[in-house]
Amino acid sequence: KNQVEQSPQSLIILEGKNCTLQCNYTVSPFSNLRWYKQDTGRGPVSLTIMTFSENTKSNGRYTATLDADTKQSSLHITASQLSDSASYICVVSVPTDKLIFGTGTRLQVFP
Amino acid sequence: GAVVSQHPSWVICKSGTSVKIECRSLDFQATTMFWYRQFPKQSLMLMATSNEGSKATYEQGVEKDKFLINHASLTLSTLTVTSAHPEDSSFYICSARDPLTSGIAYNEQFFGPGTRLTVL
């Protein structure tokens, strides 16, 4: 069964600190892996997209890694800001355009 | 970047009425659009895939007669929730794929801002 699991479910950090979110997937066949940021009451916004041949991709303070062998990905947020408070969703795409969504990690950044 | 809009952003309706939600790709032509539903603290669930000029493909468990999808042009898809009931209250999100900017490896989908439906 195609599944995407994320941890932790929720995370609270202080402004300025770094954090890492985890994603494990059991999806086959695999097309690409994406990380999205979803603010409350808004649609998801893409942060990074990686194919199986890409190990890391950065977007500003966001850096995603992918280990296709162990089927694990992480999203590292550097020097967190209050505006980083959101849900972060790991999504794995299969070749048919279907997206398999993770359950998300809810991040709260406090001053 | 590609922009997808939805209208309305929120709607409140009485039980038994029908509600139409629009999804537009503003700066690209989308042959394929997707409709998702998201309940509080849950992830997005795909309801149906909408292809321009043809019938939508619904996911298992989604009633096609209740959730009518029309993709009449390359920039507009509509979702009509017919005879809405309180259990249909949810956050509805559409996405669109831009075939010109998405490489085969990425087939990126761009999401709309969502529509909050509340059925009283």
Side-chain angles (χ1 to χ4, degrees):
Chain A
K1 181 182 177 182
N2 288 333
Q3 276 189 318
V4 178
E5 295 183 346
Q6 293 184 240
S7 62
Q9 268 191 333
S10 61
L11 182 62
I12 298 174
I13 61 174
L14 294 177
E15 185 179 16
K17 298 296 185 182
N18 304 333
C19 67
T20 300
L21 314 180
Q22 301 292 341
C23 173
N24 297 325
Y25 62 93
T26 55
V27 177
S28 182
F30 173 91
S31 182
N32 55 68
L33 184 144
R34 315 137 183 248
W35 283 94
Y36 286 93
K37 177 186 179 186
Q38 185 178 23
D39 293 312
T40 301
R42 306 292 293 174
V45 174
S46 179
L47 296 176
T48 63
I49 300 178
M50 292 180 290
T51 64
F52 72 92
S53 62
E54 297 175 291
N55 301 121
T56 185
K57 184 164 281 190
S58 292
N59 178 2
R61 294 180 296 102
Y62 302 102
T63 299
T65 65
L66 174 63
D67 186 334
D69 292 331
T70 62
K71 298 188 176 181
Q72 295 179 325
S73 175
S74 67
L75 179 69
H76 186 75
I77 304 175
T78 305
S80 61
Q81 300 175 358
L82 298 179
S83 58
D84 291 333
S85 296
S87 289
Y88 291 84
I89 308 173
C90 175
V91 182
V92 178
S93 171
V94 296
T96 57
D97 265 351
K98 286 248 179 103
L99 302 182
I100 314 298
F101 288 81
T103 49
T105 292
R106 181 168 176 76
L107 174 66
Q108 291 179 279
V109 182
F110 285 104
Chain B
V3 179
V4 175
S5 71
Q6 283 184 240
H7 178 81
S9 56
W10 59 271
V11 57
I12 301 174
C13 69
K14 291 182 179 180
S15 184
T17 60
S18 295
V19 174
K20 180 184 284 188
I21 302 171
E22 293 185 349
C23 177
R24 294 181 185 272
S25 55
L26 297 186
D27 49 3
F28 66 99
Q29 293 184 326
T31 54
T32 305
M33 290 184 171
F34 305 86
W35 286 97
Y36 296 86
R37 182 167 49 182
Q38 185 178 32
F39 292 106
K41 297 186 179 180
Q42 294 187 21
S43 197
L44 281 72
M45 292 180 57
L46 179 65
M47 298 175 66
T49 301
S50 169
N51 296 298
E52 187 268 337
S54 64
K55 290 184 179 180
T57 303
Y58 290 82
E59 294 300 299
Q60 193 172 12
V62 177
E63 300 175 57
K64 59 182 67 177
D65 293 331
K66 181 168 185 62
F67 299 99
L68 301 178
I69 292 173
N70 185 286
H71 194 157
S73 77
L74 287 172
T75 60
L76 173 64
S77 176
T78 60
L79 168 68
T80 301
V81 183
T82 62
S83 186
H85 288 95
E87 57 265 30
D88 297 324
S89 298
S90 187
F91 193 52
Y92 292 87
I93 305 174
C94 72
S95 71
R97 189 162 69 85
D98 180 358
L100 295 182
T101 63
S102 301
I104 293 175
Y106 291 116
N107 59 4
E108 183 167 8
Q109 293 181 26
F110 300 94
F111 288 86
T115 296
R116 171 74 59 193
L117 170 63
T118 302
V119 184
L120 302 177

